[in-house]
Amino acid sequence: MHGYGVSAGPSTVIRIENVAKRYGNITAVNGVSFSVEEGEIFGLLGPNGAGKTTLIRMLTTLTRPTAGELFVAGYSVRKHQVEVKKRIGVVPQQNNLERELTGRQNLLLHALLHKVDRAERNQRINELLEYVGLQDRADDRVQNYSGGMARRLLIARALVHRPSILFLDEPTIGLDPQTRRKIWDLIQIMNRDGVTVLLTTHYIEEAESLCHRVGIIDYGRLIALGTPSELKERLGNYCVEFLNERGTERHFFATRSEAQEYAQRKDCDTVVRRTNLEDVFVELTGREVRESDAS
Ligand SMILES: Nc1ncnc2c1ncn2[C@@H]1O[C@H](COP(=O)(O)OP(=O)(O)OP(=O)(O)O)[C@@H](O)[C@H]1O
Ligand SMILES: [Mg+2]
């Protein structure tokens, strides 16, 4: 048996227990615990440098934690790296495709590395090229791909060996809104086909519209965890926003009528709107998610 520890449910597929990672003086991840259930799309939302990639690298066997334990698909990542690797797909933040090779050749290379059956290989690759809409460009070199095409190929590559858990690090970073939506569709289709997804993002809309549950991470710590609606409801589902000499001020209310009542009493211009995850982040940290965004 590869026990998860006491508080995991029967369908927990990722479990992180008190994990920390230090690089010299820098604490990239600082005592994080949470778990992901089978069938979820789970999002780690946080600003640049929050520790998102470091967490993904630990979960996917690429780096070891300084403290704590990680379990993936029922296996301790520390003890059973090979078993874990067989069951996961990884879409890294940085494109690490072979640029000189074609899309198809990149997938074939991955199939060989993962020892996908010769009999199955070509069919699987064709199926995936179609799945991500690259069948027409499959035999072009990757160096001639657009950013969106490269991202779709990275997703296809991650799926070649039929993983049950997929890790996507910033799957839509740098993509235009239309391409971003296509990637969201693809993630949802994969999820419906039975793949559990853990992704990282610093895009509020991505966390809000794509993820069943969200963990907000800041300075290496998990500062909130829940469904997008739970997180917003904790703050109050309606927001009154106005400008004053200190900048933008926001107040939160459970109902629209309470918010409107408050707004009417103010003698300045106000906006009454629904609360969003950006508000949740700002209230918890005093900063905006994209304040330090360099991308
Ligand atoms: N190999 C490394 N050596 C030293 N410091 C590192 C290393 N990898 C990450 N860090 C540091 O750990 C912290 C967290 O980095 P990480 O890449 O995990 O953040 P992130 O949330 O993925 O950020 P981004 O949104 O910019 O991708 C940063 O301060 C970073 O400089
Ligand atoms: Mg990162």
Side-chain angles (χ1 to χ4, degrees):
M1 288 293 288
H2 309 283
Y4 274 122
V6 282
S7 56
S11 61
T12 300
V13 292
I14 298 170
R15 180 155 179 82
I16 297 168
E17 290 179 350
N18 297 316
V19 164
K21 178 72 182 181
R22 282 182 284 279
Y23 292 108
N25 293 333
I26 296 170
T27 302
V29 174
N30 195 356
V32 167
S33 302
F34 68 91
S35 44
V36 177
E37 303 300 310
E38 188 173 7
E40 277 194 300
I41 301 179
F42 185 96
L44 272 174
L45 173 69
N48 288 138
K52 304 181 297 295
T53 296
T54 305
L55 255 176
I56 292 228
R57 288 176 57 81
M58 290 190 284
L59 284 164
T60 57
T61 77
L62 297 175
T63 190
R64 285 176 178 268
T66 311
E69 286 283 344
L70 304 113
F71 300 90
V72 171
Y75 292 94
S76 155
V77 178
R78 184 166 48 83
K79 292 185 203 153
H80 301 284
Q81 293 203 9
V82 175
E83 295 302 325
V84 168
K85 276 191 198 162
K86 277 188 208 162
R87 290 166 176 80
I88 63 170
V90 185
V91 178
Q93 183 168 356
Q94 306 285 350
N95 171 348
N96 62 356
L97 295 161
E98 299 292 338
R99 293 171 46 79
E100 305 290 318
L101 301 183
T102 68
R104 188 188 304 282
Q105 287 168 336
N106 268 275
L107 300 188
L108 185 60
L109 187 61
H110 187 87
L112 294 172
L113 290 172
H114 275 84
K115 302 189 172 63
V116 175
D117 257 12
R118 176 188 274 272
E120 199 203 359
R121 224 180 271 153
N122 288 333
Q123 194 195 332
R124 179 68 180 153
I125 288 171
N126 283 329
E127 198 177 277
L128 282 168
L129 285 165
E130 197 177 317
Y131 199 56
V132 301
L134 284 175
Q135 63 275 43
D136 296 341
R137 303 292 299 271
D139 299 309
D140 287 5
R141 286 184 192 205
V142 165
Q143 63 196 13
N144 299 327
Y145 279 14
S146 70
M149 290 166 65
R151 207 98 306 246
R152 282 183 280 147
L153 187 66
L154 281 165
I155 293 175
R157 187 186 66 179
L159 295 172
V160 167
H161 58 293
R162 300 185 189 280
S164 58
I165 306 167
L166 188 65
F167 294 92
L168 301 123
D169 197 359
E170 307 272 1
T172 66
I173 198 164
L175 302 181
D176 65 54
Q178 229 178 339
T179 311
R180 176 173 300 161
R181 267 173 210 290
K182 278 196 202 145
I183 301 277
W184 291 356
D185 288 346
L186 193 55
I187 293 172
Q188 266 163 339
I189 291 167
M190 279 180 327
N191 179 248
R192 259 177 241 143
D193 289 345
V195 177
T196 303
V197 175
L198 189 153
L199 61 86
T200 75
T201 187
H202 59 269
Y203 294 120
I204 296 290
E205 324 84 83
E206 189 154 290
E208 196 147 350
S209 63
L210 188 62
C211 299
H212 303 132
R213 277 195 311 141
V214 172
I216 299 182
I217 179 167
D218 191 39
Y219 290 120
R221 288 184 185 278
L222 192 73
I223 56 172
L225 181 71
T227 66
S229 38
E230 279 166 3
L231 293 173
K232 289 181 280 184
E233 198 175 325
R234 262 176 236 163
L235 203 58
N237 275 330
Y238 293 89
C239 173
V240 180
E241 194 172 59
F242 51 89
L243 265 177
N244 65 17
E245 53 288 349
R246 292 189 297 278
T248 306
E249 208 170 294
R250 299 180 183 96
H251 293 265
F252 298 93
F253 301 88
T255 64
R256 183 180 284 279
S257 57
E258 285 171 78
Q260 277 166 340
E261 212 171 286
Y262 176 82
Q264 273 156 18
R265 278 189 271 118
K266 298 299 293 181
D267 52 6
C268 59
D269 285 344
T270 58
V271 175
V272 178
R273 59 170 175 79
R274 291 197 75 107
T275 299
N276 58 42
L277 281 185
E278 178 83 28
D279 298 321
V280 175
F281 187 85
V282 172
E283 286 302 302
L284 289 170
T285 66
R287 287 172 293 115
E288 314 220 330
V289 181
R290 291 190 214 186
E291 205 162 72
S292 55
D293 189 355
S295 61

